[in-house]
Amino acid sequence: MAISNVPVLMREELIAAAISGDRAATLTLLEHAQPEIRRIARRQCHSSADADDAAQETLLLLYQHIASLRVPLALVGWLNTIIRRACLRLARVVDIPLPEHVLAETI
């Protein structure tokens, strides 16, 4: 498969560059991750406001902690975990029940 056909979030060499401190690679990941992060957050959070907050928090954590990621291809799973935890935390703040599919993923 040609690299141009591989989604940016699965391009191991780009992720590895971001992990090693390449600012341009990190910014490229942030740019391409944002729509997917927002889509996942909208599905997992209770409200659109919570989804926006969870997406923003996830992007910030990605930027701050990309160097701590040990396996480049674990990025998508790592982002999913951050989003799910952010949605759970935001729901607890206002004591709102989460959708069943989100609760099932946390057990």
Side-chain angles (χ1 to χ4, degrees), residues 46-84:
H46 184 266
S47 69
S48 61
D50 283 355
D52 288 343
D53 289 346
Q56 184 176 19
E57 181 178 330
T58 301
L59 288 165
L60 179 62
L61 289 171
L62 172 60
Y63 180 78
Q64 292 175 331
H65 299 287
I66 187 69
S68 68
L69 188 64
R70 294 186 185 132
V71 179
L73 293 180
L75 177 65
V76 174
W78 185 56
L79 292 174
N80 278 311
T81 299
I82 293 170
I83 295 165
R84 184 176 61 250

Side-chain angles (χ1 to χ4, degrees), residues 38-47 51 80 83-85 87-88 97-107:
R38 289 192 183 285
R39 183 187 66 75
I40 294 167
R42 281 193 305 269
R43 192 181 80 233
Q44 293 194 13
C45 288
H46 184 266
S47 69
N80 278 311
I83 295 165
R84 184 176 61 250
R85 289 179 180 170
C87 289
L88 286 168
L98 286 171
E100 289 297 320
H101 71 277
V102 174
L103 293 173
E105 292 176 8
T106 61
I107 296 176

